[in-house]
Amino acid sequence: MLTVTNLCKHFGGIRAVDGCSFTAEAGKITALIGPNGAGKTTAFNCISRTMAPTSGEVWLDGGRIDHLRPHEITAKGLSRTFQISRNLADMTVLENIVCQAPIRGWRGLMKPAMPPEEVAKAEGILEFLGISRLAHEDGANLSYGQKKLMDFAALLMSDPKIILLDEPAGGVNPSLLEEIIGHIRKLNEAGLTVLIVEHNMDLIMRLSHRVVVMAQGQVIADGPPEMVREDPAVLDAYLGGALEAA
């Protein structure tokens, strides 16, 4: 589904991403992990084109996308979340989600701001996530965890083929974390491909089919969670035994 080849992002003399290559197999959950500063989020930014890569290639479902603009990449079937919620605080949850629906052609600009079919779709997504009660709540009034769920809902409005989740468990309480894990698993079982950046090793080991480990901008390990868990280089040099304790 997604192929990243020799991806690089340099900031002056700093090589935040330095020849990074990996794949995310269709219908699987792939985790991208590593210590702080490893280049994971920068790689995400380059893949989604919220940041232009210095060099390298990104292919989605057989087509190259690293030259496209972010909205064009979304239209191709790739959507992402961010570590910090980017919701519009002066709009309701339902409005935040509906505004993420793609505009298809210039005629789409003539449609009502809240087309009935998009409202119905958003309400269905909220029901799936178990947060229908928040539909008419102002985005500014949500808890941190609720904002994470709203971002997740907005992600699904574009009918993506693959979703990139940037630390979905960060700052989330344990009970909500279990909900998020369940939602990701259900979506994956329905055929959605997932690429996830996360520091919660318990989540990664429980959820992922494959784990890619980055350090200093490069991929240092790639394989099933069980193999990565036992990789001495990952444990000793980069994660300080965090996987072993998970």
Side-chain angles (χ1 to χ4, degrees):
M1 179 62 70
L2 182 74
T3 301
V4 177
T5 305
N6 294 322
L7 187 67
C8 296
K9 180 60 181 179
H10 302 164
F11 299 96
I14 299 174
R15 296 173 178 260
V17 179
D18 188 16
C20 177
S21 298
F22 64 89
T23 61
E25 185 179 349
K28 301 294 185 182
I29 300 174
T30 301
L32 187 61
I33 68 170
N36 289 329
K40 306 179 299 297
T41 293
T42 302
F44 257 34
N45 290 340
C46 291
I47 292 168
S48 62
R49 210 43 167 77
T50 54
M51 183 180 289
T54 303
S55 61
E57 298 180 2
V58 181
W59 294 74
L60 174 65
D61 205 17
R64 190 170 174 180
I65 63 169
D66 52 89
H67 62 291
L68 300 178
R69 289 177 291 182
H71 74 276
E72 294 172 324
I73 290 175
T74 300
K76 294 287 185 182
L78 183 149
S79 293
R80 67 163 295 182
T81 62
F82 294 84
Q83 290 182 19
I84 299 174
S85 177
R86 297 192 174 191
N87 67 85
L88 301 171
D90 57 346
M91 294 171 60
T92 68
V93 170
L94 187 64
E95 290 168 341
N96 264 284
I97 296 169
V98 169
C99 77
Q100 299 298 323
I103 296 174
R104 305 189 188 281
W106 65 268
R107 286 188 176 86
L109 297 173
M110 307 300 158
K111 295 165 59 177
M114 296 279 283
E117 67 276 12
E118 291 179 2
V119 170
K121 181 178 180 180
E123 289 175 339
I125 293 171
L126 288 172
E127 184 176 356
F128 167 74
L129 295 176
I131 53 173
S132 296
R133 67 190 184 282
L134 300 176
H136 302 291
E137 188 71 52
D138 287 343
N141 296 335
L142 302 184
S143 69
Y144 185 80
Q146 289 171 337
K147 288 178 180 178
K148 289 272 190 179
L149 285 174
M150 182 174 67
D151 291 345
F152 200 17
L155 190 76
L156 301 177
M157 277 298 288
S158 62
D159 296 321
K161 301 175 184 176
I162 179 172
I163 56 174
L164 277 58
L165 305 176
D166 196 353
E167 297 195 24
V172 173
N173 67 61
S175 61
L176 185 55
L177 175 59
E178 290 303 316
E179 287 185 36
I180 291 174
I181 290 173
H183 296 322
I184 295 171
R185 188 171 281 131
K186 286 179 184 177
L187 289 167
N188 176 246
E189 289 171 352
L192 188 63
T193 304
V194 180
L195 178 62
I196 181 171
V197 164
E198 185 52 65
H199 286 289
N200 186 318
M201 291 299 107
D202 177 61
L203 181 152
I204 292 301
M205 292 300 153
R206 290 168 54 193
L207 198 58
S208 304
H209 298 106
R210 186 155 149 259
V211 177
V212 178
V213 186
M214 287 185 68
Q216 299 180 353
Q218 300 179 336
V219 173
I220 62 162
D222 186 345
E226 299 79 10
M227 185 187 81
V228 170
R229 180 192 290 271
E230 298 172 358
D231 190 315
V234 174
L235 292 171
D236 298 336
Y238 299 101
L239 295 180
L243 284 176
E244 190 174 25

Coordinates of all heavy atoms in Angstrom, one line a residue, residues 42-77:
T42 N 8.8 13.5 11.5 CA 9.3 14.2 10.3 C 9.1 13.3 9.1 O 8.7 13.8 8.0 CB 10.8 14.5 10.4 OG1 11.0 15.3 11.5 CG2 11.3 15.2 9.2
A43 N 9.3 12.0 9.2 CA 9.0 11.1 8.1 C 7.5 11.1 7.8 O 7.1 11.2 6.6 CB 9.4 9.7 8.5
F44 N 6.6 11.1 8.8 CA 5.2 11.3 8.6 C 4.8 12.5 7.8 O 4.0 12.5 6.9 CB 4.5 11.3 10.0 CG 3.8 10.0 10.3 CD1 4.3 8.8 10.0 CD2 2.6 10.0 11.1 CE1 3.7 7.6 10.3 CE2 2.0 8.8 11.5 CZ 2.5 7.6 11.1
N45 N 5.5 13.6 8.2 CA 5.2 14.9 7.6 C 5.6 14.9 6.1 O 4.9 15.5 5.3 CB 6.0 16.0 8.3 CG 5.4 16.3 9.7 OD1 4.3 16.0 10.0 ND2 6.2 17.0 10.5
C46 N 6.7 14.2 5.8 CA 7.1 14.1 4.4 C 6.2 13.2 3.6 O 5.9 13.5 2.4 CB 8.6 13.6 4.3 SG 9.8 14.8 5.0
I47 N 5.8 12.1 4.2 CA 4.9 11.2 3.5 C 3.5 11.9 3.2 O 3.0 11.8 2.1 CB 4.6 9.9 4.4 CG1 5.9 9.1 4.5 CG2 3.5 9.1 3.8 CD1 5.8 8.0 5.6
S48 N 3.0 12.7 4.1 CA 1.7 13.3 3.9 C 1.9 14.7 3.2 O 0.9 15.3 2.9 CB 1.0 13.5 5.3 OG 1.8 14.4 6.1
R49 N 3.1 15.1 3.0 CA 3.5 16.3 2.3 C 3.1 17.6 3.0 O 3.0 18.6 2.4 CB 2.9 16.3 0.9 CG 3.7 17.0 -0.2 CD 5.2 16.8 -0.2 NE 5.8 17.2 -1.4 CZ 6.1 18.5 -1.8 NH1 5.8 19.5 -1.0 NH2 6.7 18.8 -2.9
T50 N 2.9 17.5 4.4 CA 2.8 18.7 5.1 C 4.2 19.3 5.3 O 4.3 20.5 5.7 CB 2.2 18.4 6.5 OG1 3.0 17.4 7.2 CG2 0.8 18.0 6.4
M51 N 5.2 18.6 4.9 CA 6.6 19.1 4.8 C 7.2 18.5 3.5 O 7.1 17.3 3.3 CB 7.3 18.6 6.1 CG 8.8 19.1 6.2 SD 9.5 18.4 7.7 CE 8.6 19.4 8.9
A52 N 7.9 19.3 2.7 CA 8.5 18.8 1.5 C 9.8 18.0 1.8 O 10.6 18.5 2.5 CB 8.8 19.9 0.6
P53 N 9.9 16.8 1.3 CA 11.1 16.0 1.6 C 12.3 16.6 0.8 O 12.1 17.3 -0.3 CB 10.8 14.6 1.1 CG 9.7 14.8 0.1 CD 8.9 16.0 0.5
T54 N 13.5 16.4 1.3 CA 14.7 16.9 0.6 C 14.9 16.0 -0.6 O 15.3 16.5 -1.7 CB 15.9 16.8 1.5 OG1 15.7 17.7 2.6 CG2 17.2 17.3 0.8
S55 N 14.7 14.7 -0.5 CA 14.9 13.8 -1.6 C 14.2 12.4 -1.2 O 13.7 12.3 -0.1 CB 16.3 13.5 -1.9 OG 17.0 12.9 -0.8
G56 N 14.1 11.5 -2.1 CA 13.5 10.2 -1.9 C 12.2 10.1 -2.6 O 11.7 11.1 -3.2
E57 N 11.6 9.0 -2.5 CA 10.3 8.7 -3.1 C 9.3 8.1 -2.1 O 9.6 7.3 -1.2 CB 10.5 7.7 -4.3 CG 11.4 8.2 -5.4 CD 11.5 7.2 -6.5 OE1 10.9 6.2 -6.5 OE2 12.3 7.5 -7.5
V58 N 8.0 8.5 -2.3 CA 6.9 7.9 -1.6 C 5.9 7.4 -2.6 O 5.4 8.2 -3.4 CB 6.3 8.9 -0.6 CG1 5.1 8.2 0.2 CG2 7.3 9.5 0.4
W59 N 5.5 6.1 -2.5 CA 4.5 5.5 -3.4 C 3.3 5.0 -2.6 O 3.5 4.4 -1.6 CB 5.1 4.4 -4.2 CG 6.2 4.8 -5.1 CD1 7.5 5.2 -4.8 CD2 6.2 4.8 -6.6 NE1 8.2 5.5 -5.9 CE2 7.4 5.3 -7.0 CE3 5.2 4.6 -7.5 CZ2 7.7 5.4 -8.4 CZ3 5.4 4.7 -8.8 CH2 6.7 5.2 -9.3
L60 N 2.1 5.4 -3.1 CA 0.9 4.9 -2.5 C 0.1 4.1 -3.5 O -0.3 4.7 -4.6 CB 0.1 6.1 -2.0 CG -1.3 5.9 -1.5 CD1 -1.2 5.0 -0.2 CD2 -2.1 7.2 -1.2
D61 N -0.2 2.9 -3.2 CA -1.0 2.0 -4.0 C -0.6 2.1 -5.5 O -1.4 2.1 -6.4 CB -2.5 2.4 -3.9 CG -3.4 1.3 -4.2 OD1 -3.0 0.1 -4.2 OD2 -4.6 1.6 -4.5
G62 N 0.8 2.0 -5.7 CA 1.3 2.0 -7.1 C 1.6 3.3 -7.8 O 2.1 3.3 -8.9
G63 N 1.2 4.4 -7.1 CA 1.4 5.7 -7.7 C 2.3 6.6 -6.8 O 2.2 6.6 -5.6
R64 N 3.2 7.3 -7.5 CA 4.1 8.2 -6.7 C 3.4 9.4 -6.2 O 2.7 10.1 -7.0 CB 5.3 8.6 -7.5 CG 6.4 9.2 -6.8 CD 7.7 9.4 -7.6 NE 8.7 10.2 -6.9 CZ 9.9 10.5 -7.3 NH1 10.2 10.0 -8.6 NH2 10.7 11.2 -6.6
I65 N 3.6 9.8 -4.9 CA 2.8 10.9 -4.3 C 3.7 12.0 -3.7 O 3.2 13.0 -3.2 CB 1.8 10.4 -3.3 CG1 2.6 9.7 -2.1 CG2 0.8 9.4 -3.9 CD1 1.7 9.5 -0.9
D66 N 5.0 11.8 -3.7 CA 5.9 12.8 -2.9 C 5.9 14.1 -3.6 O 6.4 15.1 -3.0 CB 7.3 12.2 -2.7 CG 7.9 11.7 -4.0 OD1 8.5 12.5 -4.7 OD2 7.7 10.5 -4.3
H67 N 5.4 14.3 -4.8 CA 5.4 15.6 -5.5 C 4.0 16.3 -5.4 O 3.9 17.4 -5.8 CB 5.7 15.4 -7.0 CG 4.7 14.5 -7.7 ND1 4.6 13.1 -7.4 CD2 3.8 14.8 -8.6 CE1 3.6 12.6 -8.2 NE2 3.1 13.6 -8.9
L68 N 3.1 15.6 -4.8 CA 1.7 16.1 -4.7 C 1.5 17.0 -3.5 O 2.3 17.0 -2.6 CB 0.7 15.0 -4.6 CG 0.7 14.0 -5.8 CD1 -0.3 12.9 -5.5 CD2 0.4 14.7 -7.1
R69 N 0.4 17.8 -3.6 CA 0.1 18.7 -2.4 C -0.7 17.9 -1.4 O -1.3 16.8 -1.8 CB -0.7 19.9 -2.9 CG 0.2 20.9 -3.7 CD -0.6 22.0 -4.3 NE -1.5 21.6 -5.4 CZ -2.3 22.4 -6.0 NH1 -2.3 23.7 -5.7 NH2 -3.1 22.0 -7.0
P70 N -0.8 18.3 -0.2 CA -1.5 17.5 0.8 C -2.9 17.1 0.5 O -3.3 16.0 0.7 CB -1.4 18.4 2.1 CG -0.2 19.3 1.9 CD -0.1 19.5 0.4
H71 N -3.7 18.1 -0.1 CA -5.1 17.7 -0.4 C -5.2 16.7 -1.5 O -6.1 15.9 -1.6 CB -5.9 19.0 -0.7 CG -5.6 19.6 -2.0 ND1 -4.6 20.4 -2.3 CD2 -6.2 19.4 -3.2 CE1 -4.6 20.8 -3.5 NE2 -5.6 20.2 -4.1
E72 N -4.2 16.7 -2.4 CA -4.1 15.7 -3.5 C -3.8 14.3 -2.9 O -4.3 13.3 -3.4 CB -3.1 16.2 -4.5 CG -3.5 17.4 -5.3 CD -2.4 18.0 -6.2 OE1 -1.2 17.8 -5.8 OE2 -2.8 18.5 -7.3
I73 N -2.9 14.3 -2.0 CA -2.6 13.0 -1.3 C -3.8 12.5 -0.6 O -4.0 11.3 -0.6 CB -1.4 13.2 -0.4 CG1 -0.1 13.5 -1.2 CG2 -1.1 12.0 0.5 CD1 1.1 13.8 -0.4
T74 N -4.5 13.3 0.1 CA -5.7 12.9 0.8 C -6.7 12.3 -0.2 O -7.3 11.3 0.0 CB -6.4 14.1 1.5 OG1 -5.5 14.5 2.5 CG2 -7.7 13.6 2.2
A75 N -6.8 13.0 -1.4 CA -7.8 12.5 -2.4 C -7.3 11.1 -3.0 O -8.1 10.3 -3.4 CB -7.8 13.5 -3.5
K76 N -6.0 10.8 -2.9 CA -5.5 9.5 -3.3 C -5.8 8.4 -2.3 O -5.6 7.2 -2.6 CB -4.0 9.6 -3.6 CG -3.6 10.5 -4.7 CD -3.9 9.9 -6.1 CE -3.4 10.8 -7.2 NZ -3.7 10.2 -8.5
G77 N -6.2 8.8 -1.1 CA -6.5 7.8 -0.1 C -5.7 7.7 1.1 O -5.7 6.7 1.9

